[in-house]
């Protein structure tokens, strides 16, 4: 009789342990499942939000490259500080004036607001001076003419011109 | 008096046969006995009920597999079932069987008023059964009945299973052991009862099957749950990788946007710093004044300029300057018509925005 009671108690204990194990395992499984689902939902929401705001990277890269090329092209039209001096620049201007057929009466180097300019007094045919201006406009670097007086009252096709001419310099930072 | 948990049927109502079984699967035993029923019991098989109990312990090779078959008329069994209700039905063999399996060899008398049965067990299996029926005025007497059994059956001290009342009324021989019938009936398990619809073996098989299926279902459930977890975690990992890739892409896009803004600003600044082009000014002046005009002098300072010119119609020229998008702030200062030539000498000033 005692054996029977002991055996029954053993069965009840085993059943209780089994049920407890199943409940604990079930709880752990449910917890892991719930965690995984919550994680999936969180990342799905995040991805959805990112997709809504995401700009096409390839298009942006193309636009950036185009702007980069444009900036490089614009910066290439400036002289670097060590690339030229007022004397070399004056020689180049003089050469181009003569090449266009203008006669240089006088010229001088001037400083204004930290920039060097050359003031030229020249004469020649109006067409020749326009040719010179065209050369200045089409050559690769920026040459600037801040002031100029052209007098064509002498008659014929002859003009007398006094003008200031300089060049644009850019530093490493682009200023 | 306590109500017994099992219902003891009258032994003489049953024919009990000990049969040897051929080596057939356990599920076929019932069919085999039914097939042999006519040779075991004289009644109409259709009107006959039977149950059986296997008497050889599993794995024992001492003797062949045997079964004790309990046979009675169906009507009798139904009557007992109705009387017993939910209680298990019992015969002496079913009451003693577990004890015999424990004890090995033993013999016992089970006495219930008008009848008594002596069963001799050897190695847990019944080897002899003697049934006695008592008429009016007759009563069970252990010494007399034991003596009648003969020395080959009455071996060793007997167990006497009878009601507590009967046991108290008659003194036992010194070597006999008394066993109250009420206690035996109370201790009988339902699965040890007979005529319960299924044999014990079948019940055991069903119980084992249910237990096996439950374990299999549990294991399958756990495996499925683990698979579900693996799938959910894999999906979460994929989505995490996707989100990280998108975040990286977004960071790249932001960086590109910043680059674009910086380059646009620099491009705009460089474009705005483009020096004014004197050649463009002269080209625009010639085109706007027309072929009949002649420039006498030009004074230019940064974007501002002043021009002395002669032409046929100064006002028409000024109209054209006004329509030109690159000239702004145009002012006609003075116009002096020349009566001889019919032309006009005029001075105008303004701002040129072309670069």
């Amino acid at each position: 009789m005692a054996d029977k009671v002991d055996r029954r108690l053993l069965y009840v204990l085993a059943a209780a342990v089994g049920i407890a194990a199943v409940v604990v395992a079930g709880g752990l499984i449910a917890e892991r499942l719930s965690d995984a689902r919550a994680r999936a939902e969180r990342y799905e929401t995040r991805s959805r939000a990112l997709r809504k705001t995401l700009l096409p990277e390839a298009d942006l890269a193309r636009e950036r490259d185009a702007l980069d090329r444009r900036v490089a092209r614009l910066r290439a039209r400036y002289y670097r500080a060590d690339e030229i001096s007022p004397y070399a620049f004056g020689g180049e201007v003089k050469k181009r004036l003569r090449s266009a057929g203008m006669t240089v009466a006088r010229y001088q180097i001037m400083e204004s607001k930290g920039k060097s300019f050359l003031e030229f007094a020249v004469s020649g045919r109006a067409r020749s001076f326009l040719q010179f201006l065209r050369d200045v406009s089409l050559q690769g670097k920026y040459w600037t003419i801040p002031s100029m007086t052209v007098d064509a009252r002498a008659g014929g096709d002859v003009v007398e011109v006094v003008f200031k001419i300089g060049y644009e310099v850019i530093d490493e930072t682009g200023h | 008096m306590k109500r017994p948990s099992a219902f003891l049927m009258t032994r003489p109502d049953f024919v009990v046969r000990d049969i040897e079984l051929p080596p057939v699967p356990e599920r076929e035993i019932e069919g085999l006995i039914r097939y042999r029923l006519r040779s075991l019991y004289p009644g109409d098989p259709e009107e006959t009920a039977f149950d059986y109990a296997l008497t050889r312990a599993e794995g024992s090779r001492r003797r062949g597999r045997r079964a004790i078959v309990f046979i009675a008329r169906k009507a009798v069994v139904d009557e007992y079932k109705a009387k017993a209700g939910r209680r298990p039905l019992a015969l002496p063999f079913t009451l003693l069987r577990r004890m015999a399996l424990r004890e090995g060899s033993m013999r016992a008398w089970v006495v219930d008023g008008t009848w008594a049965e002596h069963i001799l067990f050897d190695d847990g299996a019944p080897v002899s059964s003697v049934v006695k029926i008592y008429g009016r005025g007759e009563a069970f007497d252990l010494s007399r009945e034991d003596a009648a059994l003969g020395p080959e059956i009455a071996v060793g001290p007997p167990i006497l299973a009878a009601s507590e009342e009967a046991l108290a009324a008659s003194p036992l021989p010194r070597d006999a052991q008394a066993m109250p019938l009420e206690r035996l009936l109370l201790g009988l398990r339902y699965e040890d009862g007979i005529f319960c619809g299924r044999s014990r073996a079948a019940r055991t098989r069903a119980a084992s099957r249910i237990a096996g299926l439950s374990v299999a279902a549990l294991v399958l459930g756990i495996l499925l749950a683990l698979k579900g977890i693996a799938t959910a975690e894999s999906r979460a990992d994929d989505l995490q990788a996707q989100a990280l890739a998108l975040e990286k892409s977004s960071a790249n896009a932001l960086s590109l946007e910043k680059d674009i803004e910086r380059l646009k600003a620099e491009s705009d600044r460089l474009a705005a710093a483009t020096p004014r082009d004197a050649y463009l000014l002269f080209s625009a002046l010639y085109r706007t004044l027309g072929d009949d005009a002649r420039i006498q002098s030009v004074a230019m300072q940064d974007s501002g300029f002043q021009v002395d010119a002669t032409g046929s119609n100064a006002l028409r020229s000024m109209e054209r300057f006004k329509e030109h998008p690159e000239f702004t702030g145009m002012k006609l200062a003075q116009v002096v018509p020349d009566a001889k030539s019919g032309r006009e000498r005029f001075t105008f000033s303004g701002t040129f925005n072309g670069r």
Side-chain angles (χ1 to χ4, degrees), chain A residues 45-119:
Chain A
T45 310
R46 175 89 184 114
S47 296
R48 212 179 298 131
L50 282 168
R51 266 192 214 100
K52 270 186 191 169
T53 56
L54 195 65
L55 294 168
E57 211 177 320
D59 291 355
L60 289 174
R62 265 196 298 279
E63 190 180 347
R64 194 266 318 267
D65 291 346
L67 276 167
D68 216 12
R69 284 194 297 273
R70 178 176 152 76
V71 167
R73 206 168 49 243
L74 287 170
R75 291 183 71 169
R77 298 204 67 184
Y78 289 81
Y79 286 104
R80 290 191 311 277
D82 60 349
E83 197 176 350
I84 197 164
S85 69
Y87 310 109
F89 177 70
E92 184 67 25
V93 174
K94 209 165 66 174
K95 194 171 84 183
R96 286 181 186 248
L97 282 166
R98 281 184 184 149
S99 164
M102 298 298 291
T103 305
V104 177
R106 59 182 169 80
Y107 61 92
Q108 59 181 328
I109 295 172
M110 304 170 75
E111 290 280 335
S112 170
K113 294 176 188 173
K115 287 176 82 172
S116 299
F117 290 98
L118 283 101
E119 188 181 81

Side-chain angles (χ1 to χ4, degrees), chain A residues 70 137 146 148 150 152 156 174, chain B residues 267 269 277 294 296 298 300 302:
Chain A
R70 178 176 152 76
S137 177
M148 173 169 59
V150 180
Chain B
S267 169
R269 189 178 55 75
D277 192 329
R294 181 182 164 78
Q296 296 294 316
V298 177
M300 186 195 90
D302 295 326

Side-chain angles (χ1 to χ4, degrees), chain B residues 46-103:
Chain B
E46 293 295 315
E47 296 297 322
T48 305
F50 74 91
D51 199 355
Y52 68 95
L54 298 175
T55 58
R56 195 205 62 162
E58 285 294 321
S60 167
R61 291 174 184 275
R62 214 182 111 194
R63 62 183 81 163
R65 190 160 54 160
R66 306 189 72 83
I68 297 290
V69 185
F70 311 97
I71 313 165
R73 285 191 301 116
K74 206 175 259 178
V76 172
V77 174
D78 289 344
E79 201 176 318
Y80 281 124
K81 279 183 178 174
K83 278 182 188 169
R86 300 184 67 181
R87 291 180 290 164
L89 297 174
L91 283 174
F93 171 79
T94 55
L95 293 177
L96 299 170
R97 189 180 177 210
R98 282 190 181 271
M99 197 191 302
L101 286 170
R102 275 202 308 273
E103 300 292 329

Side-chain angles (χ1 to χ4, degrees), chain A residues 32 39-40 43-44 46 51 54-55 57 64 70 134 137 142 145-150 152 156 174, chain B residues 233 235 237 239-240 242 247 249 252 256-257 259 267 269 274 277 279 282 294 296-298 300 302:
Chain A
R32 276 187 68 182
R39 205 155 61 89
Y43 286 121
E44 200 167 13
R46 175 89 184 114
R51 266 192 214 100
L54 195 65
L55 294 168
E57 211 177 320
R64 194 266 318 267
R70 178 176 152 76
R134 190 165 178 273
S137 177
Y142 282 140
I145 299 177
S147 68
M148 173 169 59
T149 57
V150 180
Chain B
E233 284 185 341
R235 182 165 176 268
D237 288 346
L239 285 168
Q240 184 180 9
Q242 219 174 79
E247 272 174 11
S249 194
N252 285 348
L256 282 170
E257 275 188 309
D259 280 355
S267 169
R269 189 178 55 75
T274 303
D277 192 329
Y279 178 69
F282 277 89
R294 181 182 164 78
Q296 296 294 316
S297 71
V298 177
M300 186 195 90
D302 295 326

Side-chain angles (χ1 to χ4, degrees), chain A residues 148, chain B residues 281 285 298-307 321 326-331 348-353:
Chain A
M148 173 169 59
Chain B
L281 169 65
L285 280 175
V298 177
M300 186 195 90
Q301 182 72 41
D302 295 326
S303 59
F305 67 90
Q306 182 175 315
V307 176
F321 274 116
E326 289 179 333
F327 288 105
T328 53
M330 295 302 294
K331 284 179 187 164
F348 60 93
S349 62
T351 303
F352 180 69
N353 301 306

Side-chain angles (χ1 to χ4, degrees), chain B residues 44-301:
Chain B
D44 178 4
E46 293 295 315
E47 296 297 322
T48 305
F50 74 91
D51 199 355
Y52 68 95
L54 298 175
T55 58
R56 195 205 62 162
E58 285 294 321
S60 167
R61 291 174 184 275
R62 214 182 111 194
R63 62 183 81 163
R65 190 160 54 160
R66 306 189 72 83
I68 297 290
V69 185
F70 311 97
I71 313 165
R73 285 191 301 116
K74 206 175 259 178
V76 172
V77 174
D78 289 344
E79 201 176 318
Y80 281 124
K81 279 183 178 174
K83 278 182 188 169
R86 300 184 67 181
R87 291 180 290 164
L89 297 174
L91 283 174
F93 171 79
T94 55
L95 293 177
L96 299 170
R97 189 180 177 210
R98 282 190 181 271
M99 197 191 302
L101 286 170
R102 275 202 308 273
E103 300 292 329
S105 296
M106 61 170 259
R107 68 187 186 94
W109 280 100
V110 178
V111 182
D112 187 25
T114 59
W115 61 270
E117 182 180 15
H118 176 269
I119 307 174
L120 173 64
F121 290 93
D122 181 25
D123 198 17
V127 291
S128 157
S129 167
V130 176
V131 178
K132 295 279 183 179
I133 301 169
Y134 303 105
R136 185 169 289 189
E138 290 180 317
F140 174 80
D141 182 293
L142 179 59
S143 305
R144 189 188 68 221
E145 298 296 357
D146 252 7
L149 286 174
E152 69 279 5
I153 294 175
V155 283
I159 293 169
L160 176 61
S163 68
E164 283 175 347
E165 195 180 347
L167 289 173
S170 56
L172 290 178
R174 208 184 306 164
D175 57 349
Q177 185 190 342
M179 182 72 69
L181 199 54
E182 290 86 348
R183 198 192 299 171
L184 283 175
L185 289 168
L186 196 67
L188 187 76
R189 295 178 188 180
Y190 187 83
E191 62 266 27
D192 287 340
I194 51 175
F195 294 106
C196 300
R198 287 184 298 165
S199 70
R200 181 174 170 270
R203 282 197 299 274
T204 309
R205 274 202 310 275
S208 306
R209 209 172 292 149
I210 287 167
L213 281 173
S214 303
V215 170
L218 191 64
V219 169
L220 192 67
I222 288 172
L223 286 175
L224 282 174
L226 290 175
K227 170 80 179 152
I229 287 173
T231 308
E233 284 185 341
S234 161
R235 182 165 176 268
D237 288 346
D238 287 350
L239 285 168
Q240 184 180 9
Q242 219 174 79
L244 286 176
L246 283 169
E247 272 174 11
K248 196 178 168 190
S249 194
S250 180
N252 285 348
L254 275 177
S255 166
L256 282 170
E257 275 188 309
K258 277 185 188 167
D259 280 355
I260 286 168
E261 275 174 29
R262 180 181 55 77
L263 287 167
K264 263 184 187 165
E266 190 173 356
S267 169
D268 290 348
R269 189 178 55 75
L270 289 171
T274 303
R276 285 184 178 76
D277 192 329
Y279 178 69
L280 290 180
L281 169 65
F282 277 89
S283 300
L285 280 175
Y286 278 119
R287 277 202 308 274
T288 312
L289 282 168
D291 291 339
D292 67 324
R294 181 182 164 78
I295 293 171
Q296 296 294 316
S297 71
V298 177
M300 186 195 90
Q301 182 72 41

